[in-house]
Amino acid sequence: MAPQPSAANPADLPATELLNLYARRALSPVTVTQAVIARAEAAEPHLRALYAFAPEAALEAARASEARWLKGEALPLDGVPVTIKENIARKGVPMPLGTAARDDVPPSVSDAPATARLREDGAVIVAATTMPDYGMLSSGLSSIHPLTRNPWDLTKGPGGSSAGSGAAAAAGYGPLHLGTDIGGSIRLPASWCGVVGLKPSHGRVPLDPPYYGRCAGPLTRTVADTALMMRSLSRPDERDPTALPPADLAWLDLDGLELKGLRLGLVMEAGAGLPLDPANRAVIEAAVQLLADAGAVVEPVPPFLSQKMLDGLDLFWRQRASLDIEALDATRRARVLPFIRDWAAGGRDLSGAAVFHGMSQMAAMRDAALAAIRAYDFLIGPVSPNPPFPAEHASPTNDPARAMAHIAYTVPFNMSEQPAISVPAGFTPDGLPVGLQIAGRRFDDVGVLRLARAFERIRPALRPWPVVA
């Protein structure tokens, strides 16, 4: 069973329940939005998950939503509060990409595709959420935003780069939160904050601009809310030339997956990066046993990522970041988070051949991940090798030379364009969340959601959500 929300506070209710209550006129979008604003105002001095918090605009949208419900003209997400990661454009809001080097960037002139879909469907946009410089850290450390912390333990970070999204979801700033993921930036904070986080198939959610491996997707407290959000986010937008063809997928048909006989490949060892922490291993082993007890056929899969692949990708990303930073004047360059400057410096003097070979490792990851799943319906395993780490650290190693050592479980599925989800699996002895990763075949986003929902049903009850005030 999933943790039960507090009936006394509508900020904790899932979106699926909110829509039912709105339809019965048992609850108002205005009341819910007021509760979310109050929750955020109480917790933000501690969490610092939000950017461009706009309570008055949210209340205005909630009042418009309430009027539509009363007239029988409700939209698919009408009146449901949502936050949107800072690097997903929202008309009229500056988008500094987490760095003080862009502290005077002008407001965005239009909504990004995902923002537009949420607005079209009546969602109430409460705020943007924080991210680290250029989205290139798995932490809440930024040169422009205050340090974002983990609601389960304020001494720990929420992960990143969808740092504020993960923290806001766990803290109950409403039910729906939108992040992005290029190497684990949705799934890692989802795992470390104890929420559901889906990286869809590449192109399933249109982006502007698109980039290798980059996806936008939901962070929520339940699989059903993730599916509900995907129904809106996956609608087409011609601005993304890499978008998948429009498809009428059964996003809300989550039940009925037969676990008995399902073929699951267990990726317990990543093959590169940090070793798996014993506390994380114990939680994943218990989750795998639940699936096996339900009749799934679980077989170990040898590591398919190599250190050469991870190092090659790291070099390619360093070179890309170096080009962005070196294009800045000296004053702006000095504003970039020092960790990011030091990491990007490793790409400054690379030869063309080195960059080419680094980029070729993206294709090697793709081929390895697709080969690994060929004999299975899904791959399962850890999301992260480690529990949440100190909030002040830029990464689990806190070492620019090993900045990518923790993404070995997640990044292959960005390169292979497969859907992958983090679903809460349990807690370490210290009470820190651990997520189970489920990866599907290319384009089987609904299948991944169905298996996540099936696991959610057989999983023991989780701990109550943290209260931050």
Side-chain angles (χ1 to χ4, degrees):
M1 293 176 58
Q4 295 302 306
S6 168
N9 195 328
D12 286 317
L13 294 174
T16 51
E17 187 169 347
L18 288 179
L19 293 174
N20 288 331
L21 291 169
Y22 294 162
R24 292 171 17 221
R25 299 190 182 181
L27 192 61
S28 160
V30 175
T31 301
V32 173
T33 301
Q34 289 171 333
V36 169
I37 290 169
R39 173 69 60 78
E41 288 176 341
E44 270 303 276
H46 310 284
L47 286 187
R48 310 307 293 266
L50 300 184
Y51 161 72
F53 183 33
E56 289 305 318
L59 286 170
E60 182 180 351
R63 288 189 284 269
S65 171
E66 182 179 64
R68 288 191 294 271
W69 279 104
L70 291 174
K71 290 189 292 185
E73 299 174 354
L75 300 165
L77 291 176
D78 226 329
V80 178
V82 63
T83 70
I84 297 174
K85 188 177 177 182
E86 184 246 284
N87 66 338
I88 301 173
R90 184 154 53 108
K91 184 178 180 180
V93 178
M95 193 170 64
L97 303 181
T99 178
R102 291 166 49 93
D103 60 354
D104 59 353
V105 67
S108 299
V109 298
S110 62
D111 285 340
T115 305
R117 301 297 86 79
L118 293 171
R119 205 187 296 275
E120 290 163 3
D121 282 358
V124 173
I125 300 173
V126 175
T129 48
T130 58
M131 59 182 283
D133 288 54
Y134 297 104
M136 293 309 297
L137 293 178
S138 293
S139 78
L141 192 62
S142 163
S143 62
I144 193 169
H145 302 307
L147 178 63
T148 306
R149 297 180 180 272
N150 192 317
W152 294 95
D153 181 343
L154 295 177
T155 71
K156 307 297 183 184
S161 62
S162 303
S165 305
Y173 292 11
L176 303 183
H177 308 271
L178 180 63
T180 63
D181 190 316
I182 196 173
S185 288
I186 288 173
R187 288 158 291 160
L188 288 166
S191 177
W192 288 326
C193 291
V195 300
V196 177
L198 174 67
K199 182 207 78 68
S201 296
H202 188 87
R204 183 68 71 200
V205 175
L207 296 174
D208 180 28
Y211 194 76
Y212 301 111
R214 183 171 179 255
C215 299
L219 293 97
T220 71
R221 287 182 170 186
T222 69
V223 175
D225 273 5
T226 287
L228 183 70
M229 202 172 178
M230 282 299 299
R231 183 180 63 174
S232 297
L233 296 173
S234 60
R235 293 207 307 276
D237 193 297
E238 63 183 10
R239 288 175 284 178
D240 186 348
T242 71
L244 296 175
D248 186 17
L249 301 181
W251 290 110
L252 306 188
D253 183 14
L254 297 180
D255 297 324
L257 179 68
E258 179 59 62
L259 290 176
K260 187 175 182 179
L262 200 67
R263 297 168 300 159
L264 303 179
L266 175 59
V267 185
M268 193 63 88
E269 308 301 334
L274 295 176
L276 182 59
D277 184 276
N280 283 40
R281 182 184 295 274
V283 173
I284 299 303
E285 286 176 345
V288 171
Q289 190 60 53
L290 287 173
L291 291 165
D293 290 345
V297 178
V298 182
E299 298 178 357
V301 173
F304 57 84
L305 186 76
S306 70
Q307 193 63 48
K308 180 180 178 181
M309 294 176 192
L310 194 59
D311 289 345
L313 178 75
D314 181 38
L315 284 179
F316 179 77
W317 281 354
R318 285 175 189 252
Q319 189 262 354
R320 174 197 173 206
S322 176
L323 290 176
D324 289 340
I325 292 170
E326 292 299 316
L328 302 171
D329 60 48
T331 300
R332 291 182 183 277
R333 199 178 308 136
R335 295 177 191 161
V336 177
L337 195 74
F339 185 100
I340 292 293
R341 289 204 312 268
D342 292 345
W343 169 73
R348 184 183 304 144
D349 299 320
L350 294 177
S351 67
V355 174
F356 173 80
H357 288 303
M359 186 176 182
S360 72
Q361 296 307 308
M362 296 160 67
M365 282 190 202
R366 176 200 63 205
D367 296 345
L370 294 176
I373 201 172
R374 199 165 291 145
Y376 302 101
D377 298 307
F378 301 93
L379 297 178
I380 60 173
V383 176
S384 164
N386 54 278
F389 53 93
E392 296 79 10
H393 287 189
S395 72
T397 63
N398 206 32
D399 178 2
R402 304 175 66 215
M404 303 297 161
H406 60 288
I407 66 171
Y409 289 103
T410 51
V411 71
F413 302 118
N414 293 82
M415 299 303 109
S416 66
E417 305 186 355
Q418 296 169 249
I421 195 169
S422 175
V423 60
F427 295 82
T428 69
D430 294 330
L432 299 172
V434 177
L436 172 73
Q437 182 168 237
I438 299 168
R441 295 173 178 269
R442 291 181 75 201
F443 317 129
D444 189 19
D445 302 69
V446 173
V448 165
L449 288 168
R450 286 174 177 163
L451 179 53
R453 177 60 177 147
F455 175 72
E456 196 178 48
R457 286 185 178 278
I458 64 174
R459 177 192 63 198
L462 298 177
R463 301 182 183 202
W465 293 106
V467 176
V468 181

